[in-house]
Amino acid sequence: EATDVEGQAIQVLANIRALLSAQGLSMAQVVKATVFLTSMADFPKVNPLYEAAFEGHKPARSTVAVAGLPLGALIEIEVTVELL
């Protein structure tokens, strides 16, 4: 269980990929992502990991600073997909 934002970002992106894959979907079908960070200072650490996970696909994105996340998480990502 990662305690740093980079490790948590890698895990949450892997979780998203796995959930999409289980439904026969891919990251290319994500049309919108909302990234919640407990510190905007972490944005430069997370951004390259986020970009790599989407492999050139650039869905609309919002990044929001929040006071806290469940279970002490540093990052949460919500996605909306387009079903073809």
Side-chain angles (χ1 to χ4, degrees):
E1 189 171 300
T3 58
D4 62 331
V5 73
E6 293 95 335
Q8 289 184 18
I10 290 166
Q11 185 62 59
V12 74
L13 290 162
N15 291 352
I16 291 168
R17 186 178 298 105
L19 288 169
L20 292 172
S21 179
Q23 296 300 313
L25 304 170
S26 73
M27 297 293 263
Q29 289 169 272
V30 174
V31 294
K32 171 74 168 80
T34 305
V35 180
F36 301 93
L37 293 171
T38 58
S39 172
M40 285 305 283
D42 289 333
F43 183 82
K45 298 173 188 173
V46 169
N47 195 49
L49 300 169
Y50 174 92
E51 289 179 356
F54 281 95
E55 301 175 343
H57 175 57
K58 296 186 178 193
R61 174 177 62 172
S62 300
T63 303
V64 182
V66 295
L69 291 167
L71 303 174
L74 303 174
I75 182 171
E76 181 175 307
I77 301 175
E78 172 185 277
V79 298
T80 302
V81 298
E82 177 179 36
L83 301 176
L84 302 176

